[in-house]
Amino acid sequence: MQKHPLSRRGFLGSMMAMAGTTAAPFAVNLAAMGNAAAQNASDYKALVCLYMAGGNDGFNTVLATDSASWNEYQRLRVTADNKSIALPGLGATGGVLPITPINSQGRSFALHPRLGTVKSLFEAGNVAILANVGTLVQPTTLAQYKAASVKLPPKLFSHNDQQSMWQSDAPEGSLSGWGGRMGDMVASANSNQTFGCISVSGNAVFLTGKQTRQLQITTEGLPGITNLSAGLFGTQPGSNPLQAIITGQGDNKFQNDYAAVVNRAIAAQGTLQAAMVPAGAGGIPNPTQYVNPNTGVAAANPLALQLQAVARVIAGRNTLGVKRQVFYVSMNGFDTHTAQATAHADLMARLDHAIAYFNTVLASLQGTDMRQQVTLFTASDFGRTFTTNGNGTDHGWGSHHFIIGGAVKGRDIYGSFPVTGVNHTLDVGSGSLLPTTSVDQYGATLATWFGVPATQLASVFPNIGNFATKNLGFMA
């Protein structure tokens, strides 16, 4: 989603993003605008964005189960030929999992049957649910949406553009995201700013700031440069042309700039590899396999492995010299146009398994309970339609999301939980929800806990001034 012009500066910007460096000559020094609390932070805080790529079906993730809602749910999520994407009813075996929010809003609720750990954490007060959140420029009614009388998010229902809107407040092509812009604001808390924003899932615009650049790692850590110290293409190690390019200085400005970027990447790799606590025995435990609920077959869970890498970095926080970090992990497969009942069950099983693993690891990370300092939150392109297209759903808009951690004011549903069904005041078509809470409000609440001062929220979330409520209250 991040694009640069085809130019020397654009190329170097991309290299810096991969190398986790800062482009100080080309950026406003936003770190200097941070507050004194960030500069003198004695505590540690991390935010982990868990992105569900493709558009998660919130209707089968968090469900209203009062009689009126449940009857509509069962009626409308079954097609005329009796194909169903509706979940089974309440029950100990295979049914949806009831939850007891502090504020029930006069209704009853449940979670997907495969979210057993999320249910337990919710009841323990460590999970909050944010209802019907989505991309908005300003508060919008159904009448305003239909008349296009207010500014709407561009290119609604488009995967690439709505992924970018969620992560950056701008459509595809945006050059910075709100995770990276938060990193700008609290950068002064980190003595080594290279490790403030880290992705374990490739290049994400979410983590690129106006000054901060994301560091991309794998589940194994930050890979080194192949053949750097050995011979290359049959050459002797001492005459390795790659070494000559990297270490040499001459009249070629492009080569010199490239060498500087790569050398910073080499330095970052060495520092991170030394700081990351090892995986496995004596370090960060390896995740168990998860069980596919459709086949009963056990397999590795890539999301859990990504979260293991996050935990390994957090465990090395003191060596890295960081007090504030933003991480990005993701899982694919949520564009459930077909076979939703089985596909979504497997996705929820993997999500729950990874959250259970991460919570257990954080509870005793190198002998320290870090759950109070680390907050994980979910995000996705959009929700999905309430009505089924046969055995799946189409692209929607608003959806429900989880916030997980010891600092979360959990066991509650925040925001207005929508009517279950179609043809209501938030239905923009086929039961697709007009959001009642914006991504900006969601992010601003997390950013406030993270240490971004209220005076700088608008620099991170351009549309936050359009909303009366800046803090939704789900963080302690």
Side-chain angles (χ1 to χ4, degrees):
M1 288 178 290
Q2 185 175 354
K3 295 181 179 177
H4 296 281
L6 186 58
S7 65
R8 176 174 173 270
R9 181 175 297 182
F11 173 80
L12 290 172
S14 296
M15 288 300 299
M16 289 176 185
M18 293 193 296
T21 58
T22 53
F26 310 119
V28 177
N29 185 10
L30 293 176
M33 300 165 64
N35 63 353
Q39 295 171 4
N40 301 306
S42 59
D43 61 343
Y44 172 86
K45 289 182 178 179
L47 285 169
V48 182
C49 175
L50 194 168
Y51 198 86
M52 300 178 287
N56 180 47
D57 181 64
F59 295 118
N60 273 11
T61 304
V62 182
L63 307 91
T65 55
D66 51 276
S67 295
S69 299
W70 189 254
N71 289 340
E72 280 297 276
Y73 171 81
Q74 292 290 337
R75 182 177 73 87
L76 291 169
R77 295 216 123 185
V78 178
T79 61
D81 58 356
N82 207 34
K83 292 180 180 177
S84 176
I85 58 166
L87 298 171
L90 295 170
T93 305
V96 295
L97 306 174
I99 55 174
T100 54
I102 296 170
N103 177 17
S104 67
Q105 304 181 29
R107 303 165 78 179
S108 58
F109 297 93
L111 301 179
H112 190 283
R114 301 302 170 184
L115 293 176
T117 295
V118 176
K119 169 186 163 61
S120 297
L121 291 173
F122 181 90
E123 299 295 354
N126 297 130
V127 172
I129 295 168
L130 183 57
N132 194 20
V133 58
T135 56
L136 286 172
V137 177
Q138 63 189 78
T140 303
T141 66
L142 184 61
Q144 291 170 327
Y145 168 79
K146 289 181 175 179
S149 59
V150 297
K151 190 173 182 180
L152 297 170
K155 301 181 180 179
L156 285 166
F157 315 111
S158 158
H159 282 296
N160 290 351
D161 294 288
Q162 292 309 298
Q163 285 177 12
S164 186
M165 284 296 300
W166 255 92
Q167 296 185 30
S168 73
D169 266 318
E172 186 177 22
S174 176
L175 297 180
S176 73
W178 56 270
R181 295 193 293 264
M182 280 195 299
D184 291 336
M185 295 301 165
V186 299
S188 56
N190 297 333
S191 60
N192 191 335
Q193 296 177 15
T194 298
F195 305 104
C197 291
I198 297 179
S199 172
V200 198
S201 188
N203 186 28
V205 70
F206 173 73
L207 286 183
T208 298
K210 295 182 178 179
Q211 179 177 356
T212 300
R213 290 292 180 261
Q214 65 186 284
L215 180 68
Q216 297 172 45
I217 69 174
T218 71
T219 54
E220 302 299 322
L222 186 60
I225 298 176
T226 303
N227 291 321
L228 180 62
S229 58
L232 182 66
F233 303 129
T235 63
Q236 294 298 315
S239 59
N240 189 326
L242 182 58
Q243 286 182 328
I245 292 171
I246 292 172
T247 59
Q249 292 291 314
D251 296 331
N252 189 317
K253 300 297 184 182
F254 185 88
Q255 177 179 328
N256 293 343
D257 283 345
Y258 175 81
V261 170
V262 174
N263 275 299
R264 284 193 290 269
I266 294 170
Q269 192 269 345
T271 301
L272 186 62
Q273 290 299 95
M276 283 182 76
V277 172
I284 305 304
N286 292 320
T288 61
Q289 293 185 318
Y290 92 104
V291 177
N292 185 317
N294 303 310
T295 64
V297 175
N301 184 349
L303 179 60
L305 292 170
Q306 291 180 53
L307 290 172
Q308 182 187 36
V310 171
R312 292 176 61 200
V313 174
I314 292 174
R317 63 196 178 280
N318 294 331
T319 303
L320 292 173
V322 290
K323 297 291 186 181
R324 295 291 183 273
Q325 288 184 290
V326 187
F327 295 91
Y328 179 88
V329 299
S330 72
M331 56 188 301
N332 297 319
F334 287 89
D335 194 20
T336 49
H337 288 282
T338 60
Q340 178 167 306
T342 53
H344 197 246
D346 184 47
L347 291 165
M348 292 293 99
R350 281 191 273 155
L351 178 70
D352 194 73
H353 172 268
I355 288 171
Y357 166 76
F358 195 52
N359 180 71
T360 299
V361 167
L362 289 178
S364 183
L365 191 68
Q366 299 292 282
T368 302
D369 188 343
M370 293 296 294
R371 290 176 294 182
Q372 193 76 22
Q373 284 73 48
V374 181
T375 300
L376 181 148
F377 64 97
T378 63
S380 193
D381 311 11
F382 34 63
R384 305 197 72 81
T385 56
F386 190 79
T387 57
T388 174
N389 60 9
N391 64 349
T393 50
D394 292 316
H395 300 177
W397 192 356
S399 192
H400 316 312
H401 285 281
F402 298 122
I403 309 98
I404 303 169
V408 175
K409 294 168 68 175
R411 202 165 71 81
D412 215 347
I413 297 175
Y414 293 82
S416 178
F417 204 90
V419 171
T420 300
V422 294
N423 300 322
H424 51 76
T425 57
L426 297 175
D427 180 7
V428 300
S430 301
S432 177
L433 291 174
L434 173 65
T436 46
T437 298
S438 73
V439 175
D440 289 63
Q441 292 170 291
Y442 185 13
T445 306
L446 293 164
T448 299
W449 171 80
F450 195 58
V452 176
T455 55
Q456 296 302 328
L457 285 176
S459 296
V460 181
F461 305 98
N463 300 317
I464 193 63
N466 297 334
F467 300 91
T469 302
K470 311 293 192 292
N471 191 325
L472 301 173
F474 56 73
M475 297 300 296

